[in-house]
Amino acid sequence: MFLLRTQFAASISRPRSYLRLCSQCQRKFFPRNRAFSTLPDIPIFKALQSHDPARLAIVHSKSNRSFTYGSLVADVLQSKERLAEKQPAGLSGQRVAFLAENSYDYVVMLLSILASDAIAVPLSPAFPVPELQYVIDHSSPSVLLSTERFADKAREIYSAGLQAEPLLDVRSKISAGSSSTNPVSLTSLHEPQGGLMLYTSGTTNRPKGVLIPQSALTAQSLSLIEAWKYSPRDHLLHLLPLHHIHGVVNALLTPLIAGSAIEFMFPFNPEATWRRLAAPFLPEGSNRSVITFLTAVPTIWSRLLGSFPDLPSDVQTAAKQAISPANLRLNISGSAALPAPTKKAWEELSGGNVLLERFGMTEVGMAISCGLDFRDRVDGSVGWPLPHVEARLWDYEKNEVIRPGEEVDENGRERVGEIQLRGPTIFKEYFRNEAATEEAFVDDNDGKGRWFRTGDDAVRRPVPGSGQGSSGDWAQGPMYFIQGRRSVDIIKIGGEKVSALEVERELLSLPEIIEAAVVGLPSEQWGQRVAAVVVLDRTRVGPSWGIMDLRRALKGRLAMSKIPTKVKVLEKIPRNAMGKVNKKMLVKEVFGGS
Ligand code: AMP
């Protein structure tokens, strides 16, 4: 942490022009009960204050309305003061839930909750009311903030009777942004209690509240700034939901700390996204900024590719220019495995822009990433542990760590291990769920703390020409290749482990298949067998195309034991907002009791 703090202090060394007052003086000068113009002395607010107040912070894409860092700080203060009026006893360590569209208002709410040293619980407006009620009951917030747009939904949450009713505070839309020039000071918090709580989509159990203290949020952001070099010159197009780590940390908090501009465009619409990307390169869009940074999930990349041919030719030409390496500085994929054909097609369309893949999860933020140097973006790999993240692979069969140099066993086979992580970026606990927290961590006797068990398996493999350190010191040595979730993606056939992701990759490389999900089904003879759910490209296959054609196509590409023995064709594979497939549910729905 010390290293992080000193690095950070160095990165925001600009002198501050605002008045600094100690808390005692503030009490003397300001009337009692009036909330002071103070923000906590934590890195996110230090950073916000150090940015040029005139710099663009947030843009609403559709209307092109924009807000500067100066107005953001002023509005956060105002919102924090309003919260303090609601809860004069203070909100430190308490939960504050909020329901807001992807907008400036969301950002102001989130930051004002952090500024109150409280724990922000973003609610997804897309969730049905009973699910939101579950989150409210579980997190027991003191206040529920809502924008006007979702006021009815917020009231509906109350109507069914909540266990502990939070105060409801409906906020009207901030249209112009404040221009207050009140002096703002930073006051240190004795023991910071604030942070973010995100609910993970459970497969069998109810969602768990992942409590990420502000120190971990900061560490996650600083790690990404170091690896991906976010800068005030970046203009990020934000296409993701804001109740998920990817949308909140990678695409919002981190660029805010770096002083970048964030443009909201949600929900994702491929054609609108193309038109926005293309705008600065068309005569009518010359007032729009060039998008330099795009982070998305694999389904977004593939839907963009799928809709490109339908664009008018002038938009196509401009869009190609927009996504070329000269303009789109960084294109990142994550939250699920990136299919190689998608990566290749994007590279071709963009004239050489290679998607950078990374691995992360709600509990840890981003953990492993490919590098900025194109040579460090290797197909099928997620790269190296990010700065300040310590990673290891744990072999459950031998009950030992797979040490560097031990990646291959005595029979020449690659050893698969669970990714385990530790360091300042890791979450604190599953809120009010001691048993799950206990189970998620494993002790180490080296005195450096316990490891978080991700539940994801990987292999580590040296890749010639990559990992030479050109993307940073952290990006060196053998690279990580995700094999999938231990619980669903590692299929055991007669004792041999098959990675569902590997089979999916091969299926997706067949021109006839546009979507694939591979699962394990119980088999008396082998323990498990490989089954696949696929979506076919109807323009390429006739109605008689079936399992025998699929098996024939995979012969020679995959060992026989890995080729699916059962295949189900669907029109669409159900996915959540982040493009993830819930395989446990899929097996139940598609294969029933088989
Ligand atoms: P979430 O907490 O919703 O972000 O989900 C985290 C999970 O997404 C991880 O545990 C992985 O199983 C999966 N995941 C994230 N990034 C990748 C990736 N690049 N490749 C494969 N799986 C990924």
Side-chain angles (χ1 to χ4, degrees):
M1 257 340 270
F2 174 72
L3 181 68
L4 288 175
R5 277 206 203 103
T6 45
Q7 274 178 348
F8 188 74
S11 71
I12 51 163
S13 53
R14 252 168 37 84
R16 299 188 200 107
S17 54
Y18 53 88
L19 179 65
R20 273 175 155 276
L21 290 174
C22 72
S23 37
Q24 260 179 5
C25 310
Q26 284 166 349
R27 251 167 251 136
K28 203 166 150 195
F29 289 123
F30 291 96
R32 240 163 67 92
N33 276 348
R34 184 180 179 270
F36 309 117
S37 293
T38 66
L39 290 170
D41 191 4
I42 58 175
I44 173 92
F45 297 113
K46 259 192 193 142
L48 285 185
Q49 285 220 330
S50 74
H51 300 330
D52 178 351
R55 197 196 311 282
L56 201 60
I58 303 291
V59 181
H60 288 175
S61 195
K62 203 168 167 197
S63 61
N64 203 15
R65 254 182 328 124
S66 59
F67 303 86
T68 61
Y69 274 99
S71 70
L72 181 59
V73 170
D75 283 324
V76 168
L77 267 168
Q78 243 178 45
S79 171
K80 179 203 154 204
E81 286 172 12
R82 184 164 157 175
L83 269 173
E85 279 160 20
K86 294 252 166 208
Q87 286 289 26
L91 279 165
S92 197
Q94 295 183 39
R95 275 77 52 214
V96 176
F98 64 114
L99 196 53
E101 54 274 34
N102 289 27
S103 62
Y104 182 66
D105 302 63
Y106 175 103
V107 183
V108 171
M109 283 184 186
L110 169 67
L111 293 177
S112 65
I113 298 167
L114 293 177
S116 310
D117 196 30
I119 294 161
V121 186
L123 302 175
S124 166
F127 279 12
V129 169
E131 275 190 54
L132 296 178
Q133 279 167 338
Y134 168 78
V135 173
I136 297 278
D137 277 336
H138 186 263
S139 60
S140 60
S142 311
V143 183
L144 167 58
L145 294 175
S146 168
T147 53
E148 265 170 358
R149 183 162 159 200
F150 295 113
D152 287 346
K153 189 153 197 171
R155 290 192 193 100
E156 227 185 299
I157 296 175
Y158 285 76
S159 66
L162 291 166
Q163 281 162 24
E165 287 205 351
L167 280 168
L168 177 61
D169 182 0
V170 176
R171 303 272 178 102
S172 43
K173 206 170 186 57
I174 306 172
S175 45
S178 286
S179 54
S180 155
T181 49
N182 278 347
V184 179
S185 65
L186 294 179
T187 40
S188 37
L189 295 170
H190 178 51
E191 269 176 36
Q193 308 278 319
L196 178 71
M197 189 143 81
L198 299 174
Y199 277 77
T200 51
S201 35
T203 43
T204 43
N205 297 318
R206 298 304 300 261
K208 290 181 284 214
V210 178
L211 180 53
I212 313 165
Q214 63 82 21
S215 61
L217 287 175
T218 305
Q220 292 176 10
S221 290
L222 298 187
S223 168
L224 292 185
I225 290 173
E226 194 178 329
W228 297 345
K229 309 270 182 276
Y230 291 75
S231 93
R233 288 177 303 284
D234 278 322
H235 191 106
L236 182 147
L237 190 61
H238 196 298
L239 306 168
L240 302 165
L242 278 174
H243 63 282
H244 189 273
I245 195 92
H246 192 169
V248 183
V249 174
N250 304 19
L252 183 60
L253 285 175
T254 307
L256 283 175
I257 290 181
S260 319
I262 298 138
E263 181 165 331
F264 286 117
M265 200 180 195
F266 186 83
F268 170 66
N269 171 307
E271 195 199 329
T273 305
W274 275 128
R275 287 185 180 274
R276 171 59 190 90
L277 288 166
F281 305 95
L282 289 166
E284 62 273 20
S286 53
N287 61 335
R288 304 303 297 250
S289 305
V290 172
I291 302 298
T292 66
F293 198 123
L294 206 47
T295 174
V297 296
T299 40
I300 288 189
W301 297 112
S302 107
R303 287 184 63 197
L304 281 173
L305 286 161
S307 67
F308 186 83
D310 302 331
L311 299 170
S313 73
D314 60 331
V315 181
Q316 284 193 354
T317 310
K320 275 189 173 184
Q321 201 180 339
I323 64 169
S324 69
N327 293 310
L328 183 60
R329 180 181 77 78
L330 195 49
N331 34 202
I332 303 177
S333 179
S335 296
L338 173 66
T342 308
K343 190 177 180 218
K344 188 159 167 263
W346 185 262
E347 185 177 351
E348 278 168 15
L349 185 70
S350 62
N353 223 344
V354 185
L355 289 172
L356 181 157
E357 188 166 7
R358 88 321 177 263
F359 163 86
M361 69 194 291
T362 311
E363 288 86 340
V364 303
M366 297 306 108
I368 304 179
S369 172
C370 285
L372 286 186
D373 187 332
F374 280 171
R375 287 171 300 180
D376 290 339
R377 304 184 196 181
V378 171
D379 285 0
S381 174
V382 290
W384 302 267
L386 278 158
H388 317 295
V389 177
E390 205 182 335
R392 69 179 190 183
L393 287 181
W394 181 266
D395 181 336
Y396 275 97
E397 262 150 35
K398 297 197 171 159
N399 254 329
E400 62 180 27
V401 175
I402 304 174
R403 295 186 192 287
E406 296 175 355
E407 283 88 358
V408 176
D409 71 11
E410 52 284 1
N411 303 315
R413 264 190 298 213
E414 269 185 327
R415 293 172 71 189
V416 179
E418 182 192 50
I419 301 172
Q420 299 187 343
L421 303 163
R422 68 179 179 186
T425 55
I426 311 297
F427 78 123
K428 180 175 171 226
E429 62 184 17
Y430 293 116
F431 189 65
R432 295 187 177 159
N433 193 343
E434 229 173 277
T437 308
E438 207 44 44
E439 213 178 296
F441 287 94
V442 52
D443 284 331
D444 196 326
N445 54 16
D446 67 355
K448 292 188 196 156
R450 34 186 216 163
W451 295 86
F452 172 65
R453 302 161 48 175
T454 61
D456 288 296
D457 274 1
V459 297
R460 227 173 21 222
R461 190 183 295 162
V463 177
S466 304
Q468 312 289 316
S470 49
S471 299
D473 288 346
W474 57 277
Q476 294 196 67
M479 301 183 80
Y480 282 75
F481 290 77
I482 305 288
Q483 304 295 296
R485 300 281 309 153
R486 278 191 83 68
S487 53
V488 286
D489 292 322
I490 303 298
I491 305 167
K492 277 217 175 149
I493 299 157
E496 185 121 352
K497 283 183 195 154
V498 171
S499 156
L501 268 56
E502 183 194 348
V503 181
E504 282 164 15
R505 246 174 245 135
E506 291 303 333
L507 282 170
L508 288 168
S509 67
L510 302 178
E512 295 87 357
I513 293 180
I514 45 182
E515 276 192 69
V518 167
V519 295
L521 295 180
S523 149
E524 264 184 33
Q525 196 179 358
W526 301 106
Q528 276 188 302
R529 62 182 178 139
V530 180
V533 180
V534 295
V535 177
L536 298 177
D537 183 346
R538 291 288 173 197
T539 60
R540 287 176 187 264
V541 294
S544 62
W545 204 86
I547 180 151
M548 293 319 289
D549 303 274
L550 181 144
R551 288 181 60 85
R552 208 171 300 123
L554 287 180
K555 229 170 134 184
R557 286 169 172 261
L558 278 175
M560 283 311 281
S561 61
K562 299 181 182 177
I563 298 182
T565 55
K566 197 160 183 175
V567 174
K568 178 89 183 167
V569 177
L570 295 186
E571 286 309 305
K572 198 169 179 232
I573 296 179
R575 292 175 191 272
N576 72 6
M578 302 305 289
K580 279 192 230 278
V581 179
N582 181 335
K583 289 197 176 172
K584 283 189 178 152
M585 225 132 88
L586 188 71
V587 168
K588 233 189 255 164
E589 277 166 21
V590 174
F591 298 107
S594 54

